[in-house]
Amino acid sequence: MGMGPLQNAVTAVEAAAAVDAAAVAALLTPVAAVAAAAAAAAPAAGSYAVLQCGEDSEYVRKAYSGYFQVFRSLLEEEGETWRVYCAHRGELPTDADAAGFDGFVISGSCADAHADEPWILALVDLIRRLHAAGKRILGVCFGHQILCRALGGRTGRSTKGWDIGVSCIHPTAAAARLFAPLKLPVHMPVIEFHQDEVWELPPNAEVLARSDKTRVEMFRLGDRVMGVQGHPEYSKDILMSIADRLLQRNLILDCQVDVAKASFDVRRPDKELWKKVCRGFLKGRLPSQQQQQQQKVVVL
């Protein structure tokens, strides 16, 4: 059956549109094509969990609504879902729940990562299962140390005592390769508050940063586990509120608090840089070890 005038007109318009679309595609520059491909490949918003390893202080609860919100401010992006598990109370995700998350963040704690309290042992066991399942894990301070312990390393008291205040850490060549898109500076100021440290890395792990006081400021194991000894999520007021509380309990000295306060006059923590570092690793935006190796071969 023949087509009427209206149908013929529609067919002609559709044909012209197809020709125009083909012409536009042919005229795309390589840069535009790459941008279009990147946009098409953009990952969907993820789902993340914070494993909180200590109680909220009264100050942080009133000023920030708790440490969970402090971490969200550092790491969360539009469209993502976040929840918190109070690991220090024995609250951990089941394996079925864990399967629904793209990544996990392990917080700091007043506890020792080398201790054998029941909740710490349960956390160690969970970390091993998460790692075996290929989940991304970012550990901060205590979280950095417990990652090390769970995956075969050793932690303990630092022979140099407390490190409190803004410290300048130095990225290694491995970090420069991993975070090449960020063009890391040679000095990365970060807030520190710890007296324990990593003594020995897990097998196959590599150091990403050091400082004058701490041998392992950052490490990674493969493409999905990274520990940071410092506190990228902290601000000066949070640090000083903790310092004042420990001073009142005679756990640190006046001179240590004075040094911590003075450190902010010397340098400021680069929170925007740390936000990019932590988000980039947790959300899988950095080149994998295999890709880095291929890049090195090309350069050679």
Side-chain angles (χ1 to χ4, degrees):
M1 187 165 81
M3 295 185 292
L6 181 58
Q7 290 174 308
N8 286 331
V10 170
T11 302
V13 170
E14 289 176 343
V19 170
D20 288 344
V24 170
L27 291 173
L28 275 175
T29 65
V31 172
V34 169
S47 179
Y48 302 92
V50 173
L51 306 180
Q52 187 167 325
C53 300
E55 294 290 347
D56 293 326
S57 69
E58 182 179 358
Y59 175 82
V60 169
R61 188 166 54 251
K62 289 180 177 179
Y64 296 94
S65 300
Y67 282 114
F68 177 48
Q69 298 303 326
V70 173
F71 274 106
R72 289 181 68 179
S73 296
L74 179 75
L75 299 170
E76 185 176 15
E77 295 174 285
E78 186 177 356
E80 294 173 349
T81 57
W82 284 77
R83 72 155 293 174
V84 62
Y85 291 90
C86 296
H88 60 291
R89 299 180 192 167
E91 181 188 358
L92 295 172
T94 64
D95 288 351
D97 289 338
F101 292 104
D102 298 296
F104 295 83
V105 180
I106 307 176
S107 80
S109 176
C110 60
D112 296 327
H114 50 272
D116 289 330
E117 296 174 40
W119 74 267
I120 293 177
L121 296 179
L123 179 59
V124 165
D125 186 55
L126 174 65
I127 290 169
R128 290 169 180 163
R129 298 200 308 276
L130 295 177
H131 180 56
K135 296 296 183 181
R136 292 189 175 277
I137 316 173
L138 171 67
V140 174
C141 197
F142 169 90
H144 160 86
Q145 296 160 15
I146 202 70
L147 277 177
C148 174
R149 173 187 177 177
L151 300 176
R154 295 173 59 237
T155 67
R157 285 282 190 268
S158 169
T159 58
K160 297 182 179 180
W162 284 98
D163 188 359
I164 308 173
V166 182
S167 292
C168 204
I169 76 169
H170 315 294
T172 62
R177 290 193 299 270
L178 175 62
F179 297 103
L182 302 182
K183 296 181 173 58
L184 293 183
V186 294
H187 305 298
M188 296 172 62
V190 67
I191 293 176
E192 306 257 13
F193 206 134
H194 65 99
Q195 63 174 336
D196 293 344
E197 66 175 356
V198 169
W199 284 358
E200 182 181 320
L201 286 173
N204 302 315
E206 63 180 344
V207 177
L208 294 179
R210 300 182 175 90
S211 70
D212 295 339
K213 204 162 188 176
T214 304
R215 293 170 293 177
V216 183
E217 286 281 3
M218 293 175 66
F219 79 91
R220 76 156 170 169
L221 178 58
D223 298 320
R224 294 178 176 269
V225 172
M226 185 172 80
V228 179
Q229 179 58 73
H231 283 279
E233 80 282 14
Y234 274 13
S235 51
K236 181 180 179 180
D237 60 315
I238 293 177
L239 174 85
M240 297 315 303
S241 70
I242 298 171
D244 289 342
R245 191 168 75 249
L246 295 189
L247 181 61
Q248 291 170 10
R249 297 177 183 176
N250 296 317
L251 296 174
I252 58 176
L253 304 174
D254 286 294
C255 61
Q256 292 171 312
V257 176
D258 292 340
V259 168
K261 288 179 181 176
S263 70
F264 285 89
D265 297 327
V266 177
R267 59 182 72 88
R268 294 281 176 175
D270 192 340
K271 201 156 189 175
E272 286 306 308
L273 173 63
W274 282 104
K275 182 180 292 187
K276 293 175 184 177
V277 165
C278 294
R279 288 180 178 181
F281 192 89
L282 181 64
K283 301 174 187 185
R285 296 173 183 163
L286 303 171
S288 67
Q289 285 184 316
Q290 182 178 4
Q291 290 171 329
Q292 292 176 57
Q293 190 61 36
Q294 290 172 346
Q295 291 170 358
K296 287 171 65 178
V297 171
V298 170
V299 171
L300 292 174

